[in-house]
Amino acid sequence: MLEEQAYTGLRVLDMSQGVAGPYCAALLALQGAEVVKVEPPGGDWIRVMGGGEGGMTPLAVASNLGKRSLCIDARKPPGRAAIERLAAQADVLVENFRPGVMARLRLDAASLCTRHPGLVYLSISGFGASGPWVDKPGTDSVLQAYTGLAMLNREADGRPRRIGMLVPDTVSALYATQALGAALYARSRTGRGRHVRISLAECCAAFQAAPLYESALFAGRQAPPTAVPSGVFRTQDGFITLLVLRQDMWERLCTALGRDGWRGDPDYRDNPARGRNAAALNAAIAEQLAQQPSAHWIATLEAADVLCAEVQDYAQFRDHPQMRHQGTFGRLAQPPYEPLPMPYLPGTPRGGPIPPAPATGQHTRAVLHDIGYAADEIAALEQDGIAVQG
């Protein structure tokens, strides 16, 4: 028998849009929480970002697994009244609007937490709740440029390069979930909720703690490389990554490559020396690795206990024997598509179904019924365009 999930019985009101807030709420849902996603009549804007049918883009699906969707216009008093009823029953509220938006709706933390002192209210912003950039939109590309991520990922010629996924939003969702867990643990002792505020900018800073500290420690001079040799190298039929961490691993690499003469070379005697001569060393290794296919080098390097891996695409990763053995991917039956692989949330049971993401307003009538609305009241909200059943 499976253990009860950690957040079973937790009620979450997800008013956020995009990825950071919704993915945070999805992580709670995948651990048992009852999550109601509130969407405006036009739907969450993430539903039109990328390909897909019926608003079910990959980003919308992955960020909203396991939720119910209520489509309602919070700008109008009857819609706001419905959300206030939901908030009165919620343990957690998640929002990621620009500072001031929730106050204009009278759904801000100061208003709701006063009436519901046990509520844990999470606000996610781009750059914080105050300051000269308080109103600046915080998109992924903006945050990658602003926080140094694009520079950290720069090309060989120094040109900054955006990482090809939504790193700021994703890591912010993870930090937000951690902060909510801490706030809920505190509530279990005190009975009181709190207003948790995080920004994408500070989450990107925390995520890059080591390189940011390194940049300050070695300000004005070149920081020594972590390990040499290291990098992605082309082989005869693909690419592998290779990394040497310790001196004994370096010596084993020399033997594996048939380069025992490098052991006594003063240019390569230790990691600092190899760091000073990294370009020449990496070039020599690159030339040698290009002469044989990836499978040859993986077998050779693994036999020598040297850190290495073949560079794979997503299909190879999903189909790898280790991932199949671990049961990392389940099958997601997500309308309107055929079942497709989706990774399980780490730390949760494997083998069971992964709950799908809802269509816009898929559960509007059911949610309104659950919070006490009669059928004629729900029909009136739909007639006035305030509530939309998907």
Side-chain angles (χ1 to χ4, degrees):
M1 181 178 296
L2 295 178
E3 293 182 1
E4 185 176 67
Q5 291 182 285
Y7 287 130
T8 295
L10 189 75
R11 292 162 297 183
V12 179
L13 179 57
D14 176 19
M15 296 194 65
S16 62
Q17 297 188 48
V19 171
Y23 187 47
C24 167
L27 295 178
L28 301 179
L30 291 171
Q31 296 178 86
E34 302 169 14
V35 181
V36 173
K37 177 181 178 64
V38 176
E39 302 189 59
D44 185 338
W45 56 263
I46 202 65
R47 293 187 181 275
V48 298
M49 301 296 291
E53 301 176 26
M56 304 310 293
T57 65
L59 287 171
V61 170
S63 300
N64 292 289
L65 296 172
K67 304 178 186 178
R68 295 197 295 168
S69 173
L70 166 67
C71 190
I72 200 158
D73 193 344
R75 298 169 300 178
K76 297 179 180 178
R80 189 163 57 248
I83 294 174
E84 288 174 348
R85 285 200 203 183
L86 281 167
Q89 300 178 9
D91 298 291
V92 174
L93 185 149
V94 179
E95 64 91 8
N96 64 348
F97 296 104
R98 293 192 204 181
V101 171
M102 293 295 278
R104 290 195 293 273
L105 295 173
R106 297 196 296 277
L107 297 169
D108 55 306
S111 300
L112 291 180
C113 292
T114 298
R115 298 198 296 273
H116 313 296
L119 180 66
V120 176
Y121 192 110
L122 171 67
S123 296
I124 304 175
S125 63
F127 300 95
S130 62
W133 272 21
V134 64
D135 292 320
K136 185 176 178 64
T139 63
D140 172 82
S141 295
V142 169
L143 266 297
Q144 288 208 30
Y146 175 69
T147 64
L149 269 169
M151 187 61 72
L152 185 70
N153 192 46
R154 60 186 177 274
E155 297 175 354
D157 63 1
R159 181 182 177 85
R161 179 175 57 182
R162 176 186 169 273
I163 298 171
M165 67 167 288
L166 303 185
V167 174
D169 285 276
T170 304
V171 301
S172 295
L174 297 175
Y175 282 118
T177 307
Q178 182 275 329
L180 281 178
L184 289 168
Y185 179 74
R187 191 185 72 165
S188 72
R189 292 182 288 107
T190 67
R192 299 191 63 82
R194 62 182 64 184
H195 187 192
V196 178
R197 305 172 182 86
I198 71 166
S199 69
L200 272 66
E202 68 181 327
C203 289
C204 288
F207 182 62
Q208 300 178 91
L212 279 166
Y213 184 77
E214 180 185 71
S215 73
L217 183 63
F218 295 99
R221 54 198 174 106
Q222 182 67 42
T226 303
V228 180
S230 67
V232 174
F233 298 90
R234 184 184 292 275
T235 66
Q236 197 175 68
D237 61 352
F239 295 89
I240 67 169
T241 187
L242 180 155
L243 174 66
V244 169
L245 287 182
R246 303 180 306 275
Q247 187 65 19
D248 61 319
M249 189 178 293
W250 161 248
E251 293 174 359
R252 293 196 300 274
L253 174 65
C254 292
T255 299
L257 298 179
R259 300 276 193 158
D260 288 317
W262 280 353
R263 295 188 187 192
D265 191 326
D267 287 341
Y268 303 148
R269 67 178 179 271
D270 54 24
N271 198 61
R274 292 193 293 275
R276 292 190 295 271
N277 298 281
L281 178 56
N282 283 328
I285 291 175
E287 182 179 3
Q288 183 169 354
L289 296 185
Q291 306 306 310
Q292 297 286 346
S294 295
H296 168 83
W297 290 120
I298 295 298
T300 300
L301 296 172
E302 286 183 343
D305 196 18
V306 173
L307 288 170
C308 64
E310 184 177 4
V311 177
Q312 302 186 134
D313 61 22
Y314 283 156
Q316 292 172 306
F317 176 48
R318 288 193 301 264
D319 294 337
H320 192 274
Q322 182 65 23
M323 293 300 98
R324 293 201 302 270
H325 172 78
Q326 292 290 328
T328 301
F329 293 89
R331 305 295 286 180
L332 172 63
Q334 176 65 64
Y337 312 117
E338 293 296 319
L340 293 170
M342 175 68 74
Y344 287 105
L345 180 65
T348 60
R350 310 288 173 90
I354 297 175
T360 304
Q362 180 177 340
H363 306 96
T364 293
R365 291 171 189 160
V367 171
L368 291 174
H369 177 269
D370 288 349
I371 57 175
Y373 281 81
D376 59 336
E377 293 177 301
I378 297 172
L381 289 173
E382 292 186 49
Q383 180 67 33
D384 293 339
I386 295 171
V388 179
Q389 173 66 38

